[in-house]
Amino acid sequence: QVQLVESGGGLVQPGGSLRLSCVGSEDIFSTYTVNWYRQAPGKQRELVAYITDSRWTNYAKSVQGRFFISRDKNSVFLRMNNLQPEDTAVYYCNGVKASAQIDVWGQGTQVTVSA
């Protein structure tokens, strides 16, 4: 089975940066659309960014200009700049290939933005 593992979260001060990684157990991302979601306590899960197999990207309004998604082989990255407290959440990687009925999730990585 395809599995995804996120890493790179941690505690950072406002204005700081982090890069999240999502690593697949197989070479899958060349044909997957990969989404980054986040979920903060008391809030609904939010789609932050996605990247298609053709490297088309899109971002939530709340993060555009600050977050950047990219991919390389079996890894997808989310570079997060100018982090703010409202970015605090668990971030999840989600790989989708509808034609193969694939929808897989990682376990999440915690991002905490606090002074």
Side-chain angles (χ1 to χ4, degrees), residues 44-104:
Q44 67 179 338
R45 188 174 61 192
E46 175 188 21
L47 178 62
V48 175
Y50 67 79
I51 185 166
T52 70
D53 56 354
S54 61
R55 289 178 168 79
W56 179 270
T57 61
N58 201 10
Y59 301 90
K61 294 294 190 295
S62 58
V63 307
Q64 64 184 11
R66 299 188 297 121
F67 289 17
F68 303 92
I69 190 169
S70 62
R71 66 195 307 159
D72 180 32
K73 293 285 187 178
N74 65 329
S75 297
V76 171
F77 307 98
L78 184 68
R79 180 68 179 181
M80 305 183 295
N81 297 322
N82 192 24
L83 284 161
Q84 301 299 312
E86 55 264 35
D87 297 315
T88 296
V90 178
Y91 285 71
Y92 297 92
C93 179
N94 166 233
V96 176
K97 188 174 183 178
S99 63
Q101 298 182 314
I102 294 173
D103 185 359
V104 298

Side-chain angles (χ1 to χ4, degrees), residues 5-12 17-22 36 78 80 83 87-92 108-113:
V5 178
E6 302 98 334
S7 64
L11 175 63
V12 65
S17 297
L18 289 172
R19 190 181 76 158
L20 306 184
S21 297
C22 174
W36 280 100
L78 184 68
M80 305 183 295
L83 284 161
D87 297 315
T88 296
V90 178
Y91 285 71
Y92 297 92
T109 184
Q110 176 72 49
V111 172
T112 302
V113 185

Side-chain angles (χ1 to χ4, degrees), residues 25-36:
S25 59
E26 303 174 8
D27 183 10
I28 60 171
F29 292 148
S30 61
T31 58
Y32 279 40
T33 290
V34 178
N35 309 294
W36 280 100

